[in-house]
Amino acid sequence: MTGVQSEATRQRDAICRVGHSLFSRGLTSGSTGNLSVRLGDGTMLMTPTDSCLGELDPARLSHLDADGRLLGGDAPTKEARLHQCFYCRPDAGAVVHLHSTHAVAVSLLPETPADNALPPLTAYYVMRVGTLPMLPYFPPGSGELFDAVADVASAHQAVLLAHHGPVVAGKTLQDAQYAMEELEETARLQLLVRSFGPKTLSATEVEDLMARFGR
Ligand SMILES: [Zn+2]
């Protein structure tokens, strides 16, 4: 087995394992959500269209070239271009997109700022996500949505799609998964405390975290 083949096998198994973990904890439901990994040769593995993250088959994952053409496996998710948008980032090795309840709920609140949808409530949120721009509603799979995501993806590793869900890129699938989980838990915290006027980390504390752990 060549190096690339063994990497692909490992990443296929990782996508299925992470998908099952996210689905079984209710972080996305039905056939929503999709995952991808960029391999060392620049091709991508991606979850297929209409697949349930809890029941992925490693042999049926979509294998795409860098331009999104299908090389093998089932047809990819209709949201494939969301992933491609984030691979404009040289540091992006994986992308996770979920329809997670609390992040979507935050996107529905009139007071949620579009330039940064979640406040710095915890240190780990700042370290793993940092800033979360929110895009207005566009129909899923539409060219307008992909154009809007492409506009923010080079400057941000995460974006919240209003009335839809978050997209997060990471160096590895595990990095993207952990950042997504931090984002979803921070959204849950925000919904729990927002009516009490919570304290957030100060600008100085956020700057210090960025300087120590920066992204
Ligand atoms: Zn979606």
Side-chain angles (χ1 to χ4, degrees), residues 90-113:
D91 65 346
V95 176
V96 174
H97 167 52
L98 302 179
H99 296 183
S100 53
T101 304
H102 300 91
V104 175
V106 165
S107 83
L108 311 181
L109 301 176
E111 78 254 27
T112 297

Side-chain angles (χ1 to χ4, degrees), residues 33-34 79 82 97-99 140 161 164:
N34 29 75
E79 300 186 299
L82 280 186
H97 167 52
L98 302 179
H99 296 183
L161 314 178
H164 185 163

